[in-house]
Amino acid sequence: MHINALSDICGAEVVGFDCGSDFDDATFAAIREAFSDHSVLVFRDQHLTPEQHVAFSKRWGNINGHILTQYLVAGYPELLAVSNKKDDAGQPLGIEDAGRYWHTDVSYEAVPPMGSLLYGLEVPAEGGDTLFASQYRAYENIPADLKDRVASLKARHRFNYVQIQASEDSTRKPLTEEQKKQLVGAVHPVVRTHPETNRKALYVNPGFTESLIDVVENESRALLDTLFGYATDPAVIYRHTWQVRDLVFWDNRCLMHHATPYPADSIRHMHRTTVAGSVPV
Ligand code: OGA
Ligand code: MN
């Protein structure tokens, strides 16, 4: 097994390692350390059954379901399909335009996931990269007075799926009334401390962060926009170009990510597991 850094911001590839194998604790400890150091691990050339993908994900914690049960892989409630493939009836098998904006997975829940493992079963020859932005770096780059200003602030997060789905060019399936009721949102600190590295990271994202608590609306908007500027500065971004059969494991506690478009006539077919996390503090 070799671990090679992919950039000096975040990201490392793991080669010569089979996530589906029966590896020992020392190997797992080395991988865990690399995950702490790099925040994104790219396991190359994986040949995993859905069961193996789920089993490897479970080494990191419990698996979360996803509110969008419309897009779970048939027979595998732990797997969310991110795909532009269609079934025989022409219905989308997965979310086609998942994450085409800066976000942190599921930050709209009270206990958001620690990480996500996305497995590229089919990837386009061109396009469909995933961008990762280090929110450690973003936080470090914020001037001292702004750090002081946001130190004790909290923000409201909400999944605006209903609006996304209702937009004219959306191919997304509607939510059930029950699902709509579950989308109550959550409040989290603007700056969180990573429970394993103890480093501070910015934890607001353009996708789901609506407003700052106890800050008047105009100032809330302006302050969030300023923070998003640091959060998405090109200097904190690693661009991941997929190879087929990459399993990419990212840390939602210190990263944002952003899917990029790809040609409509190519196939991009992926499965995601989501690993449970802890309440951000
Ligand atoms: C996701 C996601 C990005 C991509 O699955 O959570 O945001 O590039 N995917 O598919
Ligand atoms: Mn995502």
Side-chain angles (χ1 to χ4, degrees):
M1 178 175 89
H2 293 278
I3 297 170
N4 310 312
L6 291 165
S7 82
D8 62 8
I9 298 165
C10 61
E13 63 171 3
V14 184
V15 294
F17 174 72
D18 174 3
C19 296
S21 67
D22 208 0
F23 50 87
D24 59 23
D25 291 346
T27 304
F28 188 60
I31 295 171
R32 187 181 273 287
E33 192 181 320
F35 188 58
S36 280
D37 290 346
H38 299 283
S39 310
V40 182
L41 292 182
V42 178
F43 299 94
R44 300 286 191 193
D45 193 31
Q46 298 300 307
H47 293 262
L48 304 174
T49 62
E51 287 80 3
Q52 286 172 317
H53 180 180
V54 171
F56 181 68
S57 304
K58 280 187 180 162
R59 294 291 296 253
W60 302 92
N62 293 327
I63 305 302
N64 285 350
H66 199 280
I67 177 139
L68 299 180
T69 47
Q70 288 87 339
Y71 295 114
L72 298 179
V73 177
Y76 297 95
E78 301 96 340
L79 294 178
L80 180 71
V82 174
S83 176
N84 66 340
K85 278 195 170 178
K86 310 276 188 296
D87 68 15
D88 293 341
Q91 287 300 305
L93 281 177
I95 311 176
E96 192 168 339
D97 58 349
R100 296 267 178 92
Y101 47 84
W102 282 111
H103 68 286
T104 304
D105 286 335
V106 200
S107 70
Y108 48 83
E109 287 184 2
V111 189
M114 64 84 91
S116 306
L117 295 102
L118 188 61
Y119 184 30
L121 291 155
E122 292 177 66
V123 305
E126 251 181 286
D129 294 348
T130 307
L131 310 178
F132 293 97
S134 166
Q135 299 305 294
Y136 293 140
R137 293 287 179 93
Y139 178 73
E140 284 161 14
N141 291 343
I142 294 176
D145 57 338
L146 187 52
K147 277 190 180 134
D148 288 344
R149 172 73 182 107
V150 301
S152 57
L153 288 183
K154 291 181 190 284
R156 170 160 292 286
H157 297 242
R158 201 175 63 89
F159 193 14
N160 60 347
Y161 187 89
V162 177
Q163 287 92 314
I164 297 174
Q165 196 268 328
S167 81
E168 235 167 70
D169 53 353
S170 174
T171 57
R172 296 229 186 165
K173 300 180 186 184
L175 296 184
T176 63
E177 289 308 311
E178 193 50 44
Q179 284 172 318
K180 286 181 193 170
K181 268 188 229 146
Q182 283 172 41
L183 287 177
V184 293
V187 172
H188 298 302
V190 168
V191 178
R192 70 182 291 185
T193 303
H194 193 288
E196 280 154 42
T197 65
N198 275 319
R199 294 174 68 188
K200 286 185 176 177
L202 204 52
Y203 195 65
V204 285
N205 67 84
F208 304 134
T209 309
E210 223 171 42
S211 60
L212 298 170
I213 304 290
D214 291 338
V215 177
V216 292
E217 170 145 357
N218 282 349
E219 195 197 348
S220 169
R221 192 68 265 150
L223 207 43
L224 281 176
D225 286 344
T226 301
L227 294 173
F228 294 158
Y230 289 97
T232 62
D233 182 340
V236 307
I237 295 172
Y238 159 65
R239 172 182 282 264
H240 182 63
T241 300
W242 287 81
Q243 294 177 17
V244 70
R245 301 197 165 274
D246 281 347
L247 175 68
V248 178
F249 180 26
W250 65 80
D251 194 328
N252 286 309
R253 301 165 294 186
C254 56
L255 293 172
M256 294 199 301
H257 57 282
H258 189 310
T260 63
Y262 53 90
D265 60 357
S266 54
I267 296 288
R268 190 176 188 272
H269 183 64
M270 302 187 170
H271 287 170
R272 186 184 106 188
T273 53
T274 315
V275 181
S278 51
V279 175
V281 286

